[in-house]
Amino acid sequence: LRGGKVLTPRFNFVDLAGSERAKRTGASGDRFAEGVQINKGLLALGNVISALCEKHAHVPYRDSKLTRLLQDSLGGNAHTLIIA
């Protein structure tokens, strides 16, 4: 409790392995489908970060599971660090 405010820490680890280009890795079948889904999530994450930076009225958190899971860590008064 700090100055009457409750602080809630949250720590998320997200493994985005498999997000490489399909042509370069030669992935096929289930591995290819998994890579497609990871890349869609990354695109949605980029869209959310852009919307937050540009202060849009609507932030598209619901576009992917990844952004829904990270919603509390991305918006509001959160401090977020992304390591690539």
Side-chain angles (χ1 to χ4, degrees):
L1 203 59
R2 181 192 269 175
K5 295 180 182 178
V6 176
L7 299 177
T8 306
R10 181 176 287 237
F11 206 77
N12 295 299
F13 284 104
V14 180
D15 179 12
L16 298 173
S19 63
E20 301 86 14
R21 293 191 185 275
K23 279 186 180 180
R24 189 174 52 194
T25 62
S28 62
D30 288 342
R31 189 167 293 224
F32 175 76
E34 180 182 355
V36 168
Q37 291 303 314
I38 290 170
N39 285 331
K40 283 183 182 179
L42 287 173
L43 177 63
L45 179 60
N47 292 339
V48 166
I49 291 171
S50 292
L52 289 169
C53 290
E54 296 171 6
K55 305 212 186 298
H56 286 264
H58 172 71
V59 180
Y61 291 114
R62 296 179 64 184
D63 286 356
S64 81
K65 288 180 184 179
L66 176 64
T67 53
R68 272 187 250 149
L69 287 171
L70 296 176
Q71 182 174 356
D72 291 342
S73 299
L74 294 171
N77 294 325
H79 296 279
T80 302
L81 173 67
I82 298 174
I83 300 172

